[in-house]
Amino acid sequence: MGENETVETLPFGSWPSPIDAALAAAHDGKPEYVGYVGDEPWWTEPRPAEGGRRTLVRKRTDGVEESVLPAPWNVRSRVHEYGGRPWTAARTEDGPLILFVNFADQRLYRYGPDDREPLPLTPVSQVGGGLRWVEPQLVPERGEVWCVLEEFTGEGPSDVRRVAAAVPLDGSAAENRAAVRELAPEQHRFVTGPRLSPDGGRAAWLAWDHPRMPWDGTELITAEVGPDGTLHGARRVAGGPDESVAQAEWAADGALLYASDRTGWWNLYRDGVPLCPREEEFGGALWKLGQRWFAPLDNGLVAVVHGRGAGLLGILDPESGEVVDCAGPWTEFDATLATHGERVLAIGASPRSAYEVVELDARTGHARVTGAAHHDPVDPAHYPEPQIRTFTGPAGRDVHAHIYPPHSPSCAGPHDERPPYVVWAHGGPTSRSPLVLDLEIAYFTSRGIGVAEVNYGGSTGYGREYRNRLREEWGVVDVEDCAAVALALADEGTADRTRLAVRGGSAGGWTTAASLAGTDVYACGTVRYPVLDLGGWATGGTHDFESRYLESLVGPLAEVPARYAERSPVEHADGITVPFLLLQGLADVICPPAQCERLLERIAGRGVPHAYLAFEGEGHGFRRTDTLVRSLEAELSLYAQVFGLDVPGVPRLGLTV
């Protein structure tokens, strides 16, 4: 800061900021699903300004980044509704051969050097949710691409089957479902894509069944690949009802590597032998098929994303059990990895940089940004300076959180004033908030509003015991832990006790609504595409993947029906007495609009100021620029009205009483 620059004293929440909602929206989302095509790094990337589509990007050998597919092609699978790895590609003499899933029709397409435009390889089905594909894997010697097929057999969300299937590359299945070859009999409700051993003679995949979620228990299955290309002699080699295998891969020498939490932590095993036993995670919650926390290199080393409450990129030597972490500014890596020779492709971020594509030379240890490079859209002096903290919750339990105090290079709050704080509850709930630069957080902190991200009991990254705290306690432990952090910040003088808010989306929307209905901690809240009615959600009101999730989070409905009513915010609308904002996508099939509509019916006429913004075409999680801007400005306006803040330039949110 120059000598002539002064820090102006202004009330918290009213500081001028260069980070507006449009800037935050433009930087929403992150690159995903890295891969090598020949020597080139490729990945998918969000385009909020193009209707929220995701495109496929390549980094050419001349250093130019280019989108491989123009609008409206949208490289995104709907398997499990959350999707998964939607593309693969291979280098040919004439150029890349690309296989990808298009979001609009969920068909698998090929786009080769001789194709003027992408050509469909799979048919459209008019039954229920249709035919969906994920984790494509090219098997050129058979002229096929192997995938997971999700096939709807009726109109209901749970009228569905999933199998590994082979799609011919010649297009013969484009209008003919019978030309799709199923690789093995349907034996499990859920399967991951089969991984072929280096010699092509064996395959390995994960499977699980209702009511378990993949972080509760999965089975690692291997089978022989017959001459006809079918998988036979399937047998379980690891996993079970209480052991989650998160990922499996074949090493170059034919050994089977996998991440299992049999010790309480997802650690790596090679043919059943532990490689690096530590009380930290080398795996995670398999929300999307194709997530990768480790990737073997040809030389026997293994690239790993590992840590405790964070995901660092390292190289594991299976012989010594030692991990050498990647040097560089990145403190968090996503669950996507690819290898090519001694090169490792990953996606990393830090509190000062958003997610970018990083390439690590496993031989030299040198890492560099190779794609989707972070560029500061404003002076980084306006970014928050977060703190990693552990608070004490009920019964003395630890509660992990990231605290983002208000921060501005040119403004400070009055000495006799404490800032407002917003507690952020993450979705999942079996997930966690990573400590990375998020311009949505900076949108608030740069104006003088603090943010506290709470990794409440049930979050990943801290071992199975911490994860299991939420078993049958959803709506209790998460609510208590968020409140404990909020009240601790107020008690220590960090936050204003009278100006606390809570916000969250999806499962975090549930925690937010339950917090408003069941505590007196918060002055207002922002509820985004939430779960609000457990009974409705558990009886056909959501998609198949999570349709039995509540049996572990709340308990079996048949055994504890009263608990479903006791916990549901819609049943306790009279407990919500403070203003709130409800945000919902009208195309959301995971948390449908009916959930919000039930709450609004119960709230009507109670004199509680509130607003409901519903967005056409948006699903679970917002992706379009106009939606992102509108929802963020509405949230800030809510806080401004409730906390008595002056925020010029932000449209006033109309609140209904």
Side-chain angles (χ1 to χ4, degrees):
M1 185 175 291
E3 292 181 10
N4 296 327
E5 293 184 58
T6 58
V7 175
E8 187 176 4
T9 300
L10 291 172
F12 288 108
S14 65
W15 303 347
S17 169
I19 302 172
D20 61 13
L23 189 71
H27 292 81
D28 188 74
K30 63 184 178 183
E32 285 185 308
Y33 304 119
V34 295
Y36 282 103
V37 182
D39 288 332
E40 294 180 354
W42 289 40
W43 60 91
T44 67
E45 199 169 280
R47 294 284 189 266
E50 298 178 20
R53 79 179 184 104
R54 292 194 72 90
T55 190
L56 188 57
V57 176
R58 67 188 286 192
K59 175 72 172 288
R60 298 190 333 209
T61 51
D62 61 6
V64 174
E65 288 180 33
E66 66 178 17
S67 175
V68 178
L69 296 161
W73 296 106
N74 187 353
V75 185
R76 186 174 149 221
S77 169
R78 280 188 64 183
V79 168
H80 296 181
E81 296 301 343
Y82 290 114
R85 186 173 183 86
W87 75 276
T88 190
R91 175 69 62 190
T92 71
E93 290 183 3
D94 301 320
L97 171 64
I98 306 164
L99 292 310
F100 71 95
V101 179
N102 184 48
F103 182 74
D105 57 13
Q106 286 300 291
R107 298 172 87 181
L108 185 67
Y109 285 79
R110 63 164 284 166
Y111 188 29
D114 299 327
D115 299 326
R116 298 177 65 179
E117 61 181 26
L119 302 174
L121 295 181
T122 58
V124 172
S125 169
Q126 303 305 319
V127 178
L131 298 173
R132 301 174 179 182
W133 311 86
V134 74
E135 282 199 277
Q137 179 180 215
L138 194 61
V139 187
E141 62 273 18
R142 296 188 181 274
E144 295 175 333
V145 55
W146 288 14
C147 312
V148 173
L149 163 61
E150 182 176 73
E151 180 174 27
F152 282 79
T153 58
E155 296 302 319
S158 290
D159 296 331
V160 65
R161 60 190 295 268
R162 300 176 185 89
V163 293
V167 177
L169 286 170
D170 62 9
S172 57
E175 305 296 338
N176 181 14
R177 166 65 181 86
V180 174
R181 186 170 66 85
E182 297 191 10
L183 297 173
E186 179 189 355
Q187 294 180 312
H188 295 277
R189 189 73 172 186
F190 302 96
V191 294
T192 64
R195 297 277 191 269
L196 284 172
S197 61
D199 64 5
R202 291 181 293 165
W205 66 93
L206 306 179
W208 68 98
D209 293 286
H210 282 321
R212 295 195 301 275
M213 299 300 285
W215 42 87
D216 297 323
T218 58
E219 296 181 8
L220 171 55
I221 297 171
T222 62
E224 304 299 317
V225 181
D228 60 350
T230 59
L231 308 179
H232 61 88
R235 65 186 186 93
R236 180 179 65 85
V237 296
D242 300 306
E243 178 186 351
S244 168
V245 179
Q247 183 192 339
E249 306 284 347
W250 298 97
D253 63 359
L256 185 58
L257 302 173
Y258 59 89
S260 163
D261 74 346
R262 63 181 59 154
T263 65
W265 299 85
W266 275 301
N267 279 189
L268 282 190
Y269 296 81
R270 175 186 163 96
D271 288 337
V273 178
L275 292 182
C276 181
R278 295 186 183 184
E279 289 192 348
E280 58 181 68
E281 308 283 32
F282 288 76
L286 190 66
W287 279 102
K288 298 179 179 182
L289 297 184
Q291 287 179 287
R292 298 183 85 191
W293 291 269
F294 69 90
L297 283 76
D298 293 342
N299 60 10
L301 301 177
V302 184
V304 294
V305 173
H306 72 107
R308 189 168 180 156
L312 303 175
L313 175 63
I315 299 295
L316 167 64
D317 181 349
E319 296 295 324
S320 65
E322 294 181 358
V323 179
V324 177
D325 286 330
C326 162
W330 312 283
T331 55
E332 184 73 47
F333 283 86
D334 207 11
T336 180
L337 293 171
T339 60
H340 178 58
E342 293 181 325
R343 296 160 63 189
V344 178
L345 203 58
I347 293 178
S350 78
R352 309 294 291 177
S353 59
Y355 285 100
E356 48 195 359
V357 182
V358 175
E359 188 171 68
L360 168 65
D361 185 325
R363 181 177 51 85
T364 65
H366 177 69
R368 63 185 179 90
V369 175
T370 192
H374 170 79
H375 297 290
D376 291 315
V378 297
D379 185 339
H382 293 276
Y383 297 161
E385 297 180 351
Q387 306 159 1
I388 302 173
R389 296 190 56 184
T390 303
F391 294 85
T392 301
R397 64 179 184 249
D398 287 345
V399 181
H400 302 291
H402 304 146
I403 307 303
Y404 296 82
H407 179 76
S408 168
S410 56
C411 295
H415 291 298
D416 59 349
E417 184 184 345
R418 295 290 174 262
Y421 258 79
V422 184
V423 169
W424 283 28
H426 63 70
T430 311
S431 182
R432 68 178 171 87
S433 295
L435 187 67
V436 300
L437 177 63
D438 182 343
L439 290 187
E440 272 203 14
I441 292 177
Y443 177 76
F444 294 105
T445 58
S446 62
R447 286 172 166 75
I449 300 172
V451 170
E453 289 184 313
V454 181
N455 283 322
Y456 47 79
S459 301
T460 56
Y462 307 96
R464 188 171 185 119
E465 183 181 343
Y466 194 84
R467 213 162 69 235
N468 282 349
R469 283 187 190 173
L470 211 56
R471 290 190 75 86
E472 300 198 3
E473 295 293 332
W474 194 38
V476 179
V477 164
D478 49 325
V479 170
E480 289 177 346
D481 286 0
C482 287
V485 171
L487 294 175
L489 292 173
D491 289 346
E492 70 187 26
T494 298
D496 183 341
R497 173 66 184 87
T498 66
R499 295 191 295 175
L500 298 172
V502 59
R503 75 99 86 155
S506 188
W510 155 271
T511 300
T512 298
S515 296
L516 295 179
T519 78
D520 62 357
V521 174
Y522 308 101
C524 61
T526 300
V527 185
R528 298 154 54 97
Y529 37 91
V531 180
L532 296 171
D533 175 8
L534 293 180
W537 213 67
T539 53
T542 189
H543 61 145
D544 184 63
F545 177 62
E546 291 180 274
S547 62
R548 305 280 295 278
Y549 194 7
L550 297 184
E551 293 193 26
S552 59
L553 290 175
V554 182
L557 178 59
E559 296 176 18
V560 289
R563 191 182 294 167
Y564 280 61
E566 288 166 10
R567 303 261 182 95
S568 294
V570 293
E571 302 295 339
H572 300 281
D574 57 344
I576 301 177
T577 58
V578 297
F580 66 92
L581 168 63
L582 197 53
L583 301 166
Q584 177 68 42
L586 291 177
D588 192 340
V589 296
I590 296 172
C591 294
Q595 294 263 321
C596 290
E597 292 160 6
R598 286 176 203 141
L599 180 66
L600 293 171
E601 289 172 5
R602 306 285 176 90
I603 284 289
R606 292 189 179 274
V608 178
H610 64 277
Y612 177 49
L613 302 183
F615 300 98
E616 290 281 354
E618 289 282 14
H620 197 64
F622 302 148
R623 289 178 167 82
R624 300 176 179 178
T625 295
D626 53 348
T627 305
L628 295 164
V629 170
R630 178 78 176 98
S631 58
L632 201 54
E633 289 183 339
E635 184 177 354
L636 180 58
S637 178
L638 172 71
Y639 303 150
Q641 294 179 57
V642 174
F643 296 154
L645 313 176
D646 177 22
V647 286
V650 174
R652 183 178 177 85
L653 174 69
L655 295 174
T656 301
V657 177

